[in-house]
Amino acid sequence: MTQRERKQSVAEEKSVLVKVILPETIVGDDPLDELAGLATTAGTEVVGRMTQRRDKPETATYLGSGKVEELKLCAEASEADVIIFDNELSPAQTRNLEQGTGLKVIDRTELILDIFATHAQTYESRLAVELAQLQYALPRLKRMWSHLDRIKMGVGMRGPGEKQLEVDRRLVEKRIRDLKDDLAKVQGRREREVASRRNVMTISIVGYTNAGKSTLMNYLTEAQVLAEDKLFATLDTRTRRWQLPHWGPVLLSDTVGFIRNLPHRLIASFKATLEEARQADLLLHVADASNPDVVNQISAVYEVLEEIGIEEKDALLVLNKIDAVSDQHTLDVLLQRYPGALLVSAKTGEGREKFALAVSDALSRSFRDVDVETGIDNGRLMAYLASHGEVVSKTYSETRMRIHCRLPAHFLGRIDDPDTVIRDHVPTETAEDKDPIEEVA
C-alpha cells in the first residue's frame, strides 16, 4: 500500500478520544487538545471525547467498569471506528477494552508511532520508526493471535495460535537485532559527518512539535524545509548554512520535534538523528508563545533534553509566533518567567535583528582570549588560528612568537604541538615585559 493510499484509508476512520487524569498529570484548559491534534495529524476525524479523574488506573481496563460501558455507548452513538487513549495502556488493558467496547483501541504511544511511520522519509528515520514499532508490538503479539487460542489439537499438542506466536516472536526479535545493527552503522556515519563540520560553528534548533522550528529555519536560511501547521510535520534533520549577521557563516540544523511523554523507544531509536543537537555549539529552544500550554511544553522539552544527555548545552529560549499573540500581557508574563527569552515571529520577521545579535553574543561565550606562544617558523599554526578565530596581535622575538587571539575553546583543544604554549591572555602588560618587536594584526 502506498503512503497516499494509507493516508486515505486512515482518514476514513472516526475516533473517540479518552484521557484518564491522574493526580500527577499536568493538564491545560482542554485536557484532550494535544491528543486531538495528534489524532487529526494521523488522519482521523474526532467525533467524541471523554475524560475521567482517578487516583490510580484500574488494573483491568484503566477506566472504571462504568466508564467502559459509557465509552461503548458514546462510540456507538458517534459511529466511531477507533478509540484513542491519551495514556499508555498495557497489552492486557488494550485487549480488555477492545472486548468491552467492540472497537479497536490504541494508546498515545501507538498513535505517535503511526504518525512517525507516515512522515518518515529518509532511510535513517524509517529504520528508527520501524525499530520503535517492533519494540512496542513485541509484548502485544499474543493479542494478534488470540482468535486462534481456542483451536486445540491432540494430547501434548499446542494450539496453532501459540505456535504462530512463537514463530512471530522469533522473527520480530531477529528483525529488532538487525535494525539495531543498521542504526548503529547509521549513527557511526552521522557522528563522523557531524565531526567533519567542526571547522564551522554549529547551531541546532530544538523544541516542542509545531512550535515553528522549520518555519524559522526557512526564514533564516531559505532552506525550503516542509513547514505545516501539524504535529511532527518533519522528522528528518536538515542542515543549512546561515549567514549570521555580525558573525559570519554558521551551520543551522532543524531536528525532530519533541512532545510531552514522548515514547522512550522513539528517543532511543532517534539517537542518531539527535546527534546534531548533541554536538552543536549552541541550541535554539523554540517555543510557541501563542500556545496556552507553552510553559508545560517548555518544561517537556527540557525533560527530553535531560533524557538524551544534552541538558547542559548552552541554549537560547526563542518564543516564536508572537504575531499570533493578541494580548501583550501574555508576553510580559512569559518574559518575567523567562527573562532571557527572545521574542520573534518566523512568519513576519519581527524581532529578527535582536535575535541575530543574541545568537552572535551566545556563540561568543564559547570563545577564549588567549596568548599562543610557538616557534617563529610555525606558519601552519598561524594559518590555523587565523582561519578559526580572530588574531588580535602578534609579538616576535628572535626564535619565538606570541599570538594574541580569540577563538572557540574546542579549536584550542586540537592544538597538540609540544612546542606550543597556550595561556589565558593578560590584558595589562608593562613595557619591560614586552618583546622587542610587535605587529598588530
Side-chain angles (χ1 to χ4, degrees):
M1 180 182 292
T2 65
Q3 188 179 75
R4 181 180 178 183
E5 290 171 341
R6 183 180 183 279
K7 289 182 178 179
Q8 288 174 340
S9 65
V10 172
E12 296 173 357
E13 291 189 324
K14 297 179 180 180
S15 61
V16 172
L17 310 183
V18 184
K19 182 181 184 72
V20 175
I21 304 173
L22 302 174
E24 68 276 10
T25 304
I26 299 175
V27 295
D29 296 335
D30 184 354
L32 287 170
D33 181 61
E34 185 172 86
L35 185 64
L38 289 169
T40 301
T41 301
T44 71
E45 178 188 355
V46 178
V47 295
R49 303 184 180 210
M50 178 181 293
T51 60
Q52 182 186 35
R53 291 186 177 272
R54 295 182 62 91
D55 292 334
K56 61 180 181 179
E58 204 277 329
T59 305
T61 58
Y62 214 94
L63 293 168
S65 57
K67 273 291 183 180
V68 173
E69 185 62 28
E70 183 182 339
L71 176 59
K72 178 181 179 181
L73 295 175
C74 174
E76 290 176 349
S78 56
E79 298 182 346
D81 304 294
V82 58
I83 297 171
I84 304 175
F85 271 71
D86 199 27
N87 310 91
E88 186 165 352
L89 304 175
S90 69
Q93 288 167 341
T94 303
R95 181 174 63 253
N96 293 335
L97 285 165
E98 288 183 340
Q99 291 174 350
T101 61
L103 291 176
K104 177 175 63 177
V105 176
I106 65 174
D107 62 9
R108 179 186 178 90
T109 298
E110 190 170 358
L111 178 63
I112 294 176
L113 289 173
D114 183 85
I115 295 171
F116 271 53
T118 302
H119 292 178
Q121 299 293 326
T122 64
Y123 172 71
E124 177 184 331
S125 61
R126 287 196 295 267
L127 283 179
V129 171
E130 185 182 355
L131 174 59
Q133 285 180 314
L134 290 178
Q135 290 175 327
Y136 175 85
L138 185 59
R140 292 164 173 80
L141 287 177
K142 188 172 182 180
R143 180 183 67 165
M144 302 176 186
W145 291 100
S146 59
H147 63 290
L148 296 176
D149 284 347
R150 291 186 298 273
I151 302 176
K152 301 296 181 181
M153 300 181 70
V155 176
M157 301 295 291
R158 291 171 292 186
E162 191 171 354
K163 280 189 172 182
Q164 187 62 52
L165 174 63
E166 291 181 356
V167 172
D168 284 358
R169 191 185 300 277
R170 286 196 295 271
L171 291 174
V172 170
E173 289 175 344
K174 182 181 184 303
R175 181 59 179 161
I176 288 175
R177 290 194 298 270
D178 292 343
L179 287 170
K180 286 182 176 180
D181 290 341
D182 291 343
L183 273 173
K185 295 175 183 176
V186 170
Q187 184 176 346
R189 289 196 297 270
R190 175 59 65 91
E191 288 175 352
R192 291 191 294 273
E193 178 184 343
V194 174
S196 69
R197 302 174 183 157
R198 298 307 292 168
N199 290 338
V200 183
M201 298 294 282
T202 57
I203 303 172
S204 186
I205 302 176
V206 299
Y208 211 78
T209 181
N210 205 31
K213 300 183 300 300
S214 297
T215 303
L216 179 62
M217 184 170 184
N218 288 339
Y219 181 75
L220 297 175
T221 68
E222 299 181 357
Q224 297 183 346
V225 175
L226 175 65
E228 294 182 327
D229 187 17
K230 288 183 178 180
L231 303 180
F232 300 115
T234 55
L235 298 183
D236 305 302
T237 299
R238 300 285 192 277
T239 301
R240 297 292 185 272
R241 184 176 292 271
W242 175 28
Q243 189 67 28
L244 177 60
H246 315 290
W247 178 274
V250 297
L251 291 181
L252 186 65
S253 296
D254 179 25
T255 60
V256 61
F258 300 154
I259 196 170
R260 189 181 302 113
N261 300 325
L262 187 66
H264 296 280
R265 302 175 186 86
L266 273 179
I267 295 176
S269 299
F270 275 80
K271 186 177 180 181
T273 303
L274 296 170
E275 188 64 28
E276 299 280 357
R278 192 186 308 276
Q279 298 294 336
D281 297 295
L282 177 68
L283 296 183
L284 297 181
H285 177 179
V286 179
D288 180 1
S290 66
N291 193 305
D293 199 32
V294 62
V295 173
N296 291 329
Q297 291 183 353
I298 291 172
S299 298
V301 171
Y302 284 133
E303 289 175 4
V304 176
L305 290 176
E306 182 177 0
E307 187 167 348
I308 62 179
I310 58 176
E311 74 278 9
E312 299 298 330
K313 184 76 67 176
D314 194 10
L316 288 177
L317 178 61
V318 182
L319 297 175
N320 189 26
K321 301 187 183 182
I322 59 173
D323 58 297
V325 181
S326 56
D327 184 6
Q328 180 63 36
H329 177 68
T330 300
L331 295 178
D332 293 338
V333 170
L334 287 174
L335 287 177
Q336 287 178 2
R337 186 181 182 96
Y338 308 105
L342 304 172
L343 299 179
V344 301
S345 170
K347 185 177 180 180
T348 66
E350 184 178 355
R352 179 179 183 176
E353 292 185 4
K354 186 175 181 180
F355 167 75
L357 284 172
V359 173
S360 297
D361 290 343
L363 288 178
S364 297
R365 291 199 294 262
S366 67
F367 275 57
R368 284 186 59 189
D369 194 14
V370 296
D371 289 326
V372 180
E373 184 180 326
T374 188
I376 197 170
D377 58 347
N378 197 342
R380 183 175 181 180
L381 178 59
M382 291 177 60
Y384 177 85
L385 296 175
S387 63
H388 295 100
E390 175 191 5
V391 175
V392 180
S393 66
K394 303 172 193 169
T395 305
Y396 298 88
S397 65
E398 290 186 2
T399 60
R400 306 285 289 174
M401 65 176 171
R402 184 171 67 240
I403 304 172
H404 172 203
C405 60
R406 296 178 67 251
L407 74 167
H410 65 267
F411 287 129
L412 283 174
R414 298 183 180 184
I415 301 175
D416 57 358
D417 185 353
D419 190 42
T420 298
V421 179
I422 301 174
R423 299 186 183 92
D424 289 332
H425 177 70
V426 179
T428 57
E429 190 175 33
T430 63
E432 291 79 11
D433 293 332
K434 288 185 177 181
D435 290 321
I437 305 174
E438 180 173 333
E439 172 192 333
V440 178

